[in-house]
Amino acid sequence: MNIILDLSYPSWKFFALFLPLAALLYQLCPRTKRRFFLLILDLLFFWSFSGWLIVFPIYAAILTYGCGIWLSRINDRRKELGRKQTTRLKKRTLLFGIILLLAALAAMKYLDFFGLNLVRLAKLFHINFQWKILDLLVPAGISYYSLEAISYLTDVYRETIPAERDFFRLLLYLSFFPKLLEGPITRYGEVSESLSAGEPITADSLAKGYQRILWGCFKKIVIADHLAPAVDILFQGNVMDGSLTVAAALFFTVQEYMDFSGTIDIVIGSARIFRITLSENFRQPFFAKNASDFWRRWHITLGTWFRDYIFYPVTLSKPIMKLAKKVKKSLGARIGKLLAPAIALFCVWLANGLWHGPKWTYIFFGLYYFFWVELENILEEPFLGLLKKLHLTEKSVSVRIFRFVKLVCIVITGELFFRADTLSFGWEMFKQVFTNFHLHVFTDNLGLLGMDFWDYWTVIVGLLVVAAVGVMKEKGIPIRGKLMSLPAPARFLFWYICIFVVILFGAYGSGYDAAGMIYAKF
Amino acid sequence: MEIESKSIGKRQGGALRAAVFVALLLVLLFGASALIRPKHGEVYNITEVQMKLDALRLERAQSMDIFFAGDSESYRTFSPLQLWKERGYTSYNLGASALRLCDAYEIFASALEYQSPKLVFLETDAILAEAGTHKDEDDLLTNRVEDLLPIFHYHIFYKSYLPESVRNQDIYWKDANILKGFLVQDMERPYGGGDYMAEDKRLTPIPEANRVFLNNFKELCLEKGIQLVIVSAPSASTWHSGKHKAIAEWSEDNGVPYLDLNLLLSDMGIDWEHDTMDGGNHVNFAGAVKTTAYVGKYIEEQFELSDHREDPDFSDWDQKLKTAEAEFGLEFGHGGEASESARAMGGRDSGFLYRFNKSEEEEGRF
């Protein structure tokens, strides 16, 4: 008997088969053994996606565990070694761990990219250099657990958390199945206790978990997956018209947001069933006032990781501080003040682009945001001055509309290049917006984008629901509290309607191709 | 002690509520499933089936002589209005894009409730293509759930309910309605290969699931006194001798006439330089004109069907022909070609549509 076990989060087999079974067995386990049961689940889950590549997260866990213990031993010998020697040894251990973690990541994910670009570079200098494409298999979630391992080591180095003595707890942290494929990127200090506590599942945790999963399915299956065929068609080849470029960028932005945030809802809901609270990854990003605020609300855990482990260390590093001082003396205080953060930001956005994958479009995407964030930083003060002169405030409707339109333009343009196969294709599409824009080309082709009348309306109504929930969240209205205050029959009815909306209006089954998870490939 | 018992009570209450919730949900799912099962059997793509049946219901009852059934090879090849214009036969093309044989059967069986054709041509691409009513026959778990709770399989049943104004703008509906199920495409992308029937290939077996539906077709035709003809539309890039052998063998075993048009290309005058829209997979409008003309002659020679052109009961067909020619800017039959206005028609033959088709083509079928 051939059983296809697709355990990707939006698959029914994950949330209607794997999760209930896992929850039942977890509950039946003695409390002290539950963390081991979770660990077995994690490894099975990983195995279902990547098979023998399971050695990679185990390698990462052994390395991280060993370096952590080593760092703690150095700390223990602080008095004997002295401050300078302790710091030096700790730094070396940290670097050793980080380099080996990144080496595995680079080898599996970026080797072909670097090799092929070396060939291009060599050609420029007329050097004969060949690269045989390795096309290595990438272990599931390597980009996520590698960052988590680095954060753990750095936190142990900084002594914000003690080194973990129990290897299995660390392995459980790195491989916890709900967050394995798409994050969120958690910190050891935040989740290790709840991961190992073996808290019993309650009706409340089950209900809250599944409610969150349902919301995630709504975003992912009802909205994002309906847009998937249109996005594939629009980014497929010939660039026909600027109106199609705008549609492509807009559709992909919505698809990506609903896909990623929906999957994260499923992830957070799944963990909540086991009474484990994972960090939120989205906070109404389109309510942001500018590009940097957008990134504080979009893929939050990646942003905070870059802030804590790249931005601050680079800004506060000795060479950058020295450089900033020199510049301050020669070019003035304002430029000196901007320089250190600018260099750190450049590193952050370069890393952001590279983290998404081995493609120039991703690197461009990172640097594109570096440009906008820096520009907004520089112009923020003059802009506020202008508002004052115009007797406007940041809360004025016109200012908010202006900022929203600007943000949408920045974001969808970024997403256009992010999704395009190559930079030149992205540029060709982008140019069409200004040189060949005919709205009727888009409206004439609406029926040819792999979406029908019902699909368009499903997406539109779905987005209105998401926007309404977003507004309520921004205003601090406790949606869950209001729902819980309803009498039980009304609550039941509400959830039945929600379930049937997802079942009836979801893009799955005959007539739809499985859309996959966008962020699982990064 | 009191606190502990309260907590246990609360936990038990929560568990009971959860159990009631799940039980009620199952009742609703089974109830909804019972409501939306198709009439004659399981189908794969309920939207296509319903759309085709909705269009067919607009036809006058008991007015059809001939049906063409199958997938895109059928609905891009056989043009009912041309057949009317040239031979005076009334026909409808039941084919649709990537239609599976089970769906073709459902459409055919449902259509017989209000039509009594004398002849049905079943195109062979669907017979040898992906089979079964499930999306992936290997995905046994999903299929079992869908069998138990068909709501998951037919969840988009509502898609055939469209406002009239929207439906009338839909290009696929126009084909189904105005062109009697035929799909017009006048783009040219030549086929560059050689004689694709020359090579002697191994027999391509008919998938078991399709064999069942093929027999169902045969049985139903026998029961209703309809002559079944198996036909292979010209398709240079997908058809070959191995497929021909499989169909010829089945036809011989079952005493059903088989017309392989791929062996009659020169008789029809098919020129793969100009008569295909996608490098040989499907004929374009010019190719369809030639093929339909040949099939019309074949029908006239092999079967005794009446020419209704002088019959006042069928005068509405002339009107329908005029409407279609005006709407699409086409001239059906007599070597008719798509006019300039057809070429300018809302994106149908634009490069953009071509790109869309290309993506379908990459999946192997239309």
Side-chain angles (χ1 to χ4, degrees), chain A residues 209-219 266 495 498-499 502:
Chain A
Y210 268 105
Q211 285 161 9
R212 187 73 187 259
I213 289 172
L214 187 62
W215 179 234
C217 287
F218 177 78
K219 289 202 257 179
I266 297 172
W495 292 116
C498 293
I499 290 169
V502 173

Side-chain angles (χ1 to χ4, degrees), chain A residues 1-2 4 12-13 233 236 238 445 448-449 452-455 496 503-506 508-510 512, chain B residues 21 24-25 44 135-136 138-142 145 152 155 158-159 161-162 166 171 352-353 355-356 359:
Chain A
M1 187 165 114
N2 186 9
I4 296 171
W12 74 270
K13 285 175 197 161
I233 289 167
Q236 195 169 269
N238 304 343
N445 283 302
L448 301 171
L449 295 175
D452 60 23
F453 170 82
W454 280 99
D455 294 336
Y496 287 140
I503 291 173
L504 295 178
F505 296 98
Y508 65 92
S510 61
Y512 293 104
Chain B
F21 182 85
L24 273 175
L25 178 61
Y44 170 67
K135 186 169 184 174
D136 180 356
D138 289 336
D139 191 354
L140 298 180
L141 273 176
T142 304
V145 170
F152 290 106
H155 66 101
Y158 54 86
K159 280 198 166 189
Y161 302 107
L162 286 172
V166 174
I171 54 167
F352 181 73
L353 177 67
R355 288 199 292 130
F356 180 36
S359 78

Side-chain angles (χ1 to χ4, degrees), chain B residues 89-356:
Chain B
Y89 305 145
T90 53
S91 63
Y92 193 90
N93 199 324
L94 306 174
S97 174
L99 200 72
R100 293 190 180 187
L101 197 60
C102 51
D103 295 4
Y105 178 74
E106 173 73 16
I107 295 172
F108 176 59
S110 303
L112 294 187
E113 286 174 15
Y114 38 93
Q115 295 292 347
S116 303
K118 295 168 186 71
L119 199 55
V120 57
F121 284 86
L122 176 60
E123 209 287 326
T124 51
D125 193 52
I127 298 173
L128 291 160
E130 221 165 347
T133 53
H134 296 115
K135 186 169 184 174
D136 180 356
E137 286 301 320
D138 289 336
D139 191 354
L140 298 180
L141 273 176
T142 304
N143 298 347
R144 186 85 190 105
V145 170
E146 285 186 357
D147 292 344
L148 272 171
L149 295 165
I151 179 95
F152 290 106
H153 187 70
Y154 302 117
H155 66 101
I156 48 171
F157 67 93
Y158 54 86
K159 280 198 166 189
S160 59
Y161 302 107
L162 286 172
E164 211 52 32
S165 57
V166 174
R167 172 166 270 184
N168 290 337
Q169 290 303 311
D170 184 86
I171 54 167
Y172 299 106
W173 175 254
K174 279 184 185 174
D175 296 328
N177 186 17
I178 302 171
L179 297 181
K180 313 276 180 198
F182 171 64
L183 190 139
V184 171
Q185 179 60 271
D186 70 335
M187 202 171 59
E188 279 183 25
R189 188 153 69 90
Y191 163 70
D195 181 359
Y196 56 95
M197 294 302 283
E199 194 188 341
D200 187 23
K201 289 201 172 184
R202 279 176 60 185
L203 182 143
T204 309
I206 298 171
E208 257 329 293
N210 280 348
R211 216 171 254 281
V212 172
F213 286 102
L214 195 50
N215 285 329
N216 288 349
F217 259 102
K218 189 189 81 178
E219 296 299 327
L220 191 58
C221 286
L222 270 177
E223 185 192 319
K224 302 275 182 185
I226 302 164
Q227 175 64 56
L228 173 65
V229 179
I230 306 291
V231 61
S232 297
S235 179
S237 61
T238 65
W239 196 251
H240 55 72
S241 59
K243 291 184 176 180
H244 173 91
K245 279 180 202 165
I247 301 296
E249 190 181 274
W250 185 90
S251 302
E252 203 180 318
D253 290 350
N254 291 276
V256 175
Y258 174 37
L259 177 66
D260 188 348
L261 296 168
N262 294 280
L263 300 172
L264 301 161
L265 299 174
S266 55
D267 295 356
M268 292 186 290
I270 293 287
D271 170 8
W272 288 118
E273 271 292 310
H274 302 291
D275 294 343
T276 172
M277 50 162 282
D278 50 12
N281 190 350
H282 302 88
V283 291
N284 56 15
F285 183 65
V289 166
K290 292 175 184 175
T291 316
T292 306
Y294 185 88
V295 170
K297 198 169 130 244
Y298 170 83
I299 296 169
E300 193 177 70
E301 286 169 4
Q302 301 289 325
F303 308 99
E304 288 176 5
L305 295 187
S306 313
D307 179 345
H308 302 298
R309 280 176 291 188
E310 302 302 322
D311 185 342
D313 285 349
F314 290 87
S315 58
D316 55 327
W317 273 74
D318 283 328
Q319 191 49 48
K320 284 171 186 173
L321 177 67
K322 272 184 197 160
T323 308
E325 288 188 335
E327 171 87 25
F328 285 85
L330 298 167
E331 193 191 328
F332 287 100
H334 306 301
E337 283 179 8
S339 66
E340 281 307 312
S341 58
R343 289 195 178 86
M345 192 171 59
R348 293 297 303 274
D349 42 6
S350 68
F352 181 73
L353 177 67
Y354 167 65
R355 288 199 292 130
F356 180 36

Side-chain angles (χ1 to χ4, degrees), chain A residues 170-190:
Chain A
L170 192 65
L171 183 58
L172 179 61
Y173 160 64
L174 292 180
S175 61
F176 184 47
F177 72 89
K179 66 177 177 63
L180 185 72
L181 300 179
E182 288 206 5
I185 300 158
T186 54
R187 307 294 171 85
Y188 188 74
E190 290 168 4

